[in-house]
Amino acid sequence: AAPASTEAAKEEGGKAAEGKEAKDASGLKVAAIFGGAINDGNWNETQYNGLKSIEEAGAEIAYMENISDTDAAEAARTYASEGFNLVYLTTNSYQDYCTPVAKDFPDTTFVQINGTIVDGNFISVRIADEEQGFLQGVAAALLSETGKVGFVGGQEINPIKLGSSGFQQGVDYVNSTYGLNVEATRINTGSFTDVNQAKETAISIIEGGADVISPMANDASVGIMEAGEEKGVMAVGCGLGQESSAPTATKIIIVKDVAIAIKSTFDAYAKGELNPTEVETYGANKGVVYATEWFGDVNDEAKTRLQETIDKMAKGEVEISLQ
């Protein structure tokens, strides 16, 4: 059965009625289709926050959450047939299913997060997952006292592969730049929802000697943070609020705030300027990837070195291989 957009809390936003942006936004209908829960404290929640900021600008919004890849096309078709102007596809695994829908609805613009195609009304925006992973690796390596750190990823889709590879490159960067000798263990569990599996995987890495653990597993990330807390090691988070699962272990969170990319593409659309000819990357250069304040006691050297790395990355001076 077709997912009903009404049950997905279609809401009218009419709060903002001043300024050019708000005038442009009123009358626009914007939908988002999420692969997971909008309260995951991570990937989906940041994008939902972007959708909420679009509502605050005066647009009408709707969304569906926990939509499987195979159901994404039907969801996209539902919104397009209801006259939505913009439809955000929030996981790259939707791309193959939804590109044919775009051809059937030329008046709707589809924005594929982490997609690879720009073709007429189907536009892709690339989030620099590798930069987030890289900075998680840098922070973990700088914090480690045992010389061993761990990364636990979720489903083996391209963003997580890039994040995992970035983590390794971040550790390697610290070793070569600052003369350290830190080893990284990286395991993808294959699931974004199995919290216990993620936790057990993290515990096995910790028992192997790692004293810093870092997740990139959407909803399942909570298990990885909990493992750090229970085992008395340090954690480098990947989503705002994750410190609540590991109040003692969490030292810093490397955020990938996709809300910024969502709102930025919407603003461009409202002004008639969303006409890219190629896939654009959103990372530290646009404030999408950044670090929170540090939590608890951390040595000043680690703080300084992480900040140096972030500053270089924002200027494009750090090379990360997309492998």
Side-chain angles (χ1 to χ4, degrees):
S5 55
T6 48
E7 75 184 27
K10 197 195 306 187
E11 299 171 22
E12 288 212 9
K15 297 175 195 165
E18 59 204 17
K20 175 178 186 301
E21 188 182 305
K23 282 199 197 95
D24 290 341
S26 62
L28 292 178
K29 296 172 71 177
V30 182
I33 302 166
F34 298 98
I38 57 164
N39 62 349
D40 64 357
N42 199 337
W43 178 250
N44 293 291
E45 188 164 336
T46 60
Q47 295 188 86
Y48 176 69
N49 290 340
L51 185 66
K52 291 298 283 182
S53 71
I54 288 172
E55 182 182 38
E56 285 160 15
E60 176 186 335
I61 65 162
Y63 66 89
M64 301 180 202
E65 56 185 325
N66 296 309
I67 300 297
S68 69
D69 296 349
T70 49
D71 288 336
E74 194 174 358
R77 199 172 287 280
T78 298
Y79 284 131
S81 61
E82 289 176 0
F84 277 78
N85 305 94
L86 266 179
V87 176
Y88 284 91
L89 308 168
T90 64
T91 174
N92 75 319
S93 52
Y94 286 169
Q95 177 171 286
D96 291 347
Y97 296 94
C98 293
T99 40
V101 181
K103 290 189 167 37
D104 291 341
F105 294 93
D107 294 336
T108 298
T109 297
F110 297 84
V111 179
Q112 174 68 67
I113 301 297
N114 272 335
T116 56
I117 295 168
V118 173
D119 183 10
N121 62 325
F122 192 95
I123 292 164
S124 290
V125 169
R126 203 182 81 76
I127 307 299
D129 303 283
E130 70 284 353
E131 290 187 10
Q132 183 186 32
F134 187 93
L135 291 178
Q136 286 176 245
V138 168
L142 290 172
L143 288 167
S144 180
E145 293 167 7
T146 64
K148 290 186 177 180
V149 299
F151 172 96
V152 181
Q155 198 177 330
E156 292 213 40
I157 59 174
N158 202 45
I160 303 302
K161 290 178 184 172
L162 286 171
S164 176
S165 168
F167 185 89
Q168 181 67 58
Q169 292 178 67
V171 172
D172 293 344
Y173 175 87
V174 166
N175 288 339
S176 62
T177 306
Y178 300 112
L180 302 182
N181 186 24
V182 180
E183 291 176 23
T185 300
R186 298 173 293 133
I187 299 172
N188 290 337
T189 66
S191 171
F192 285 141
T193 55
D194 194 332
V195 175
N196 288 333
Q197 178 195 22
K199 187 172 184 175
E200 292 303 318
T201 303
I203 288 171
S204 72
I205 295 174
I206 294 164
E207 288 176 346
D211 65 342
V212 189
I213 199 80
S214 198
M216 195 181 283
N218 291 10
D219 302 36
S221 294
V222 66
I224 299 151
M225 300 298 286
E226 286 173 355
E229 187 74 8
E230 288 176 20
K231 288 292 181 179
V233 300
M234 294 174 275
V236 175
C238 66
L240 292 172
Q242 284 179 350
E243 70 277 8
S244 62
S245 302
T248 309
T250 306
K251 294 301 175 188
I252 197 166
I253 294 170
I254 307 297
V255 182
K256 183 171 57 192
D257 191 353
V258 196
I260 294 165
I262 298 267
K263 184 62 166 56
S264 170
T265 48
F266 169 77
D267 290 343
Y269 178 87
K271 294 173 189 160
E273 295 169 2
L274 187 62
N275 306 300
T277 54
E278 59 186 11
V279 179
E280 198 172 356
T281 296
Y282 287 70
N285 60 336
K286 292 178 182 283
V288 169
V289 175
Y290 66 93
T292 62
E293 297 292 315
W294 291 88
F295 299 90
D297 292 332
V298 176
N299 71 73
D300 288 338
E301 189 175 62
K303 292 180 179 179
T304 302
R305 288 173 170 181
L306 180 68
Q307 192 55 53
E308 283 173 4
T309 309
I310 293 170
D311 292 344
K312 284 182 184 171
M313 181 179 279
K315 292 179 198 159
E317 294 171 6
V318 175
E319 278 194 35
I320 309 174
S321 156
L322 300 181
Q323 57 194 27

